[in-house]
Amino acid sequence: MAQPQLADTCDLEWFDAGLFEHLTQGGRRPLDRYTAMFYFERSPFFDPASSNTLARQRGLEPCMPGVLESLPPGVEFVVEVDGPPSLFVIRKQLRRRPPEAPTPLSHYHVVGPVVHQAPTMHRVLTARIARLAASLHEGFDRLQNDLDPLSHIIKQEEKKHAAAAVKAAAAAALAAASARAATAATATGLPSATPTRTSALSPTPAAAAAAAISFTQPEPVPVRRQLGTAALERWSKTDRIIINALRQYPTPEMPPVYSGLDTQPEVLGTAVPAASLPTPSAVVEENVAAVEPVAGKKRARAHAT
């Protein structure tokens, strides 16, 4: 007796070892289109209200040509692919009155003793998108782990430049104090007093003001020093992670309507060859060339002040 049909059977697999052994006579006789349909009709995928049940009640074989066509229109099951001894594809369809063609509803696979429903396009796309999202999430996590050491290196470089600026300001204050002392000694005729180490450690108010200016206007960190060999290797590793994640999925074929279009990038309607596009290293060099003149101007203004 056929079991009632389930609402969602895409995740279900069904088999009956005893019935399969009986139909195949212990493996000596493989399944054919007739025994495969008989075996499928005992599964929960079969609809007992279909035309196949009506044909069985009238003593007819549903797989015989012209049998289902002789019955009133309705839901029916037909063998679409006959691949003995281990593969059969059964299509569930809604047959209407001629000349309307039948409408496919679902497909089922009989692989050996196992029967299962073929997944729908919606379920296939959902699974692919979920797998792609998981791969991207993992790639961004690795990217974050690779960027953390780089940010630490940049902070260390900034601290070194700030310490160097303070030391330079202290040296300038000491030199200015020595010059003023020498000038005063020359004007009064007294021997010049060379500032001691204590005066260097305790700068004058002018030296403190110079140091404050150096703190408020620190020199910009050169981009060329930040991106060393280790940093470039980390960026290359990140690129490889993203590329390997994207290569797991085949490139979809474009429909014929798009075959004549130019797939290269365009700028103001003109196609740009891929070889002429700037590389990441070229962009970095361009940024360095743009930053250095601005940094020189800022240093000139700071010294003038």
Side-chain angles (χ1 to χ4, degrees), residues 122-205:
H122 177 267
R123 293 178 67 90
V124 171
L125 292 178
T126 301
R128 290 290 183 92
I129 293 174
R131 187 168 60 181
L132 175 61
S135 300
L136 289 177
H137 182 72
E138 181 181 359
F140 282 121
D141 288 342
R142 294 181 180 179
L143 176 62
Q144 182 64 34
N145 295 334
D146 292 338
L147 290 180
D148 287 340
L150 181 59
S151 61
H152 178 70
I153 293 174
I154 294 175
K155 291 180 179 179
Q156 293 295 330
E157 291 292 333
E158 291 178 351
K159 291 181 179 179
K160 290 180 181 179
H161 283 281
V166 173
K167 187 180 295 184
L174 179 61
S178 300
R180 287 194 297 272
T183 302
T186 303
T188 58
L190 298 176
S192 60
T194 303
T196 60
R197 184 174 182 83
T198 304
S199 62
L201 296 177
S202 302
T204 61

Side-chain angles (χ1 to χ4, degrees), residues 76-91:
E76 58 188 18
F77 295 86
V78 296
V79 179
E80 182 174 317
V81 177
D82 184 359
S86 60
L87 176 62
F88 298 89
V89 179
I90 298 177
R91 181 179 71 245

Side-chain angles (χ1 to χ4, degrees), residues 43-264:
S43 70
F45 306 105
F46 182 71
D47 186 1
S50 62
S51 300
N52 297 62
T53 303
L54 181 60
R56 296 285 185 188
Q57 292 175 353
R58 296 184 179 182
L60 303 175
E61 174 58 51
C63 293
M64 292 293 294
V67 172
L68 294 178
E69 288 77 2
S70 64
L71 299 177
V75 177
E76 58 188 18
F77 295 86
V78 296
V79 179
E80 182 174 317
V81 177
D82 184 359
S86 60
L87 176 62
F88 298 89
V89 179
I90 298 177
R91 181 179 71 245
K92 179 181 180 180
Q93 63 183 15
L94 176 62
R95 183 171 57 83
R96 299 181 176 87
R97 297 185 180 277
E100 296 185 21
T103 301
L105 301 178
S106 56
H107 290 78
Y108 304 90
H109 297 164
V110 180
V111 183
V114 179
V115 181
H116 63 85
Q117 182 179 354
T120 61
M121 182 62 68
H122 177 267
R123 293 178 67 90
V124 171
L125 292 178
T126 301
R128 290 290 183 92
I129 293 174
R131 187 168 60 181
L132 175 61
S135 300
L136 289 177
H137 182 72
E138 181 181 359
F140 282 121
D141 288 342
R142 294 181 180 179
L143 176 62
Q144 182 64 34
N145 295 334
D146 292 338
L147 290 180
D148 287 340
L150 181 59
S151 61
H152 178 70
I153 293 174
I154 294 175
K155 291 180 179 179
Q156 293 295 330
E157 291 292 333
E158 291 178 351
K159 291 181 179 179
K160 290 180 181 179
H161 283 281
V166 173
K167 187 180 295 184
L174 179 61
S178 300
R180 287 194 297 272
T183 302
T186 303
T188 58
L190 298 176
S192 60
T194 303
T196 60
R197 184 174 182 83
T198 304
S199 62
L201 296 177
S202 302
T204 61
I213 292 175
S214 65
F215 274 116
T216 56
Q217 297 180 357
E219 293 186 359
V221 180
V223 180
R224 193 184 304 274
R225 296 182 182 178
Q226 294 179 12
L227 298 179
T229 303
L232 291 177
E233 289 178 357
R234 293 188 183 93
W235 281 107
S236 300
K237 179 181 177 182
T238 302
D239 293 340
R240 290 194 297 270
I241 291 173
I242 297 177
I243 291 174
N244 292 334
L246 295 178
R247 282 179 178 174
Q248 297 180 5
Y249 305 96
T251 304
E253 297 182 2
M254 298 298 292
V257 69
Y258 298 105
S259 59
L261 298 179
D262 189 2
T263 57
Q264 294 184 349

